[in-house]
């Protein structure tokens, strides 16, 4: 077998594994009434999780990549339905962070809009980012100031979702809160 044939066999195996994983992923989705599709952090969990870290918002980029790679509209449809379920929880969600909150949901919703042209997803992303902005206390959004739960993640999420003003708002406090140490800035 030539190197090119070996590569093609390997690619075919990887694509088959990915297709199996995507079938499992779609099979583990939950219908949320007329609100679309959602995923729980663990299949055994009772409640869906909208977060980027372990729930629906984190599944959306996978579905969009599958739609682009395989050209299968099932994945685009599932991403649209996932965006609908995320849109339904935005207004009542208290966490603002990238991994567990509104910044991560906005990132997923904006991706659905950008890839699939869903105006409802764009509107929900804007609502999520507006809520995050309104909750800013001038320095931070809560106890955390780092990537997972704080300013750094909110800044990255806002930038990726197209809100550069919010990204600057999130990161500017680092200019006045950094501490000089022998190892650099902390």
């Amino acid at each position: 077998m030539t190197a090119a044939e070996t590569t093609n066999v390997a690619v075919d195996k990887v694509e088959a594994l990915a297709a199996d994983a995507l079938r499992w992923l779609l099979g583990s989705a939950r219908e949320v009434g007329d609100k679309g599709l959602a995923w729980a952090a663990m299949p055994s969990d009772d409640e869906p999780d909208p977060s980027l870290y372990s729930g629906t918002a984190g599944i959306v980029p996978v579905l969009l990549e599958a739609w682009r790679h395989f050209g299968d509209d099932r994945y685009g449809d599932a991403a649209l339905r996932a965006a609908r379920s995320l849109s339904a929880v935005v207004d009542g969600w208290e966490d603002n962070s990238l991994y567990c909150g509104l910044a991560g949901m906005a990132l997923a919703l904006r991706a659905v809009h950008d890839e699939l042209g869903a105006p409802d997803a764009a509107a929900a992303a804007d609502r999520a980012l507006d809520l995050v902005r309104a909750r800013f206390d001038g320095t931070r959004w809560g106890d955390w100031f780092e990537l997972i739960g704080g300013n750094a993640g909110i800044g990255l999420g806002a930038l990726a979702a197209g809100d550069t003003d919010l990204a600057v708002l999130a990161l500017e406090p680092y200019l006045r809160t950094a501490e000089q140490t022998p190892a650099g800035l902390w």
Side-chain angles (χ1 to χ4, degrees), residues 64-82:
L64 292 172
E65 180 61 30
W67 173 73
R68 283 190 302 272
H69 181 80
F70 290 107
D72 188 332
D73 287 339
R74 284 183 303 171
Y75 305 123
D77 178 62
L80 287 167
R81 294 172 65 207

Side-chain angles (χ1 to χ4, degrees), residues 54-109:
S54 58
T56 303
I59 301 294
V60 167
V62 174
L63 296 169
L64 292 172
E65 180 61 30
W67 173 73
R68 283 190 302 272
H69 181 80
F70 290 107
D72 188 332
D73 287 339
R74 284 183 303 171
Y75 305 123
D77 178 62
L80 287 167
R81 294 172 65 207
R84 198 165 57 238
S85 77
L86 290 173
S87 297
V89 300
V90 161
D91 296 314
W93 203 255
E94 294 298 320
D95 191 303
N96 300 299
S97 71
L98 175 63
Y99 281 80
C100 299
L102 291 170
M105 287 183 233
L107 178 68
L109 288 160

Side-chain angles (χ1 to χ4, degrees), residues 108-170:
L109 288 160
R110 181 71 63 204
V112 169
H113 170 263
D114 292 349
E115 294 285 329
L116 302 173
D120 291 348
D126 290 342
R127 283 195 334 270
L129 294 172
D130 287 345
L131 283 168
V132 172
R133 184 179 287 100
R135 295 171 179 169
F136 185 59
D137 73 3
T139 302
R140 61 181 66 194
W141 281 267
D143 293 337
W144 300 101
F145 206 53
E146 42 54 88
L147 183 65
I148 292 174
N151 288 43
I154 289 171
L156 287 173
L159 185 62
D163 191 333
T164 55
D165 291 338
L166 181 56
V168 169
L169 186 69

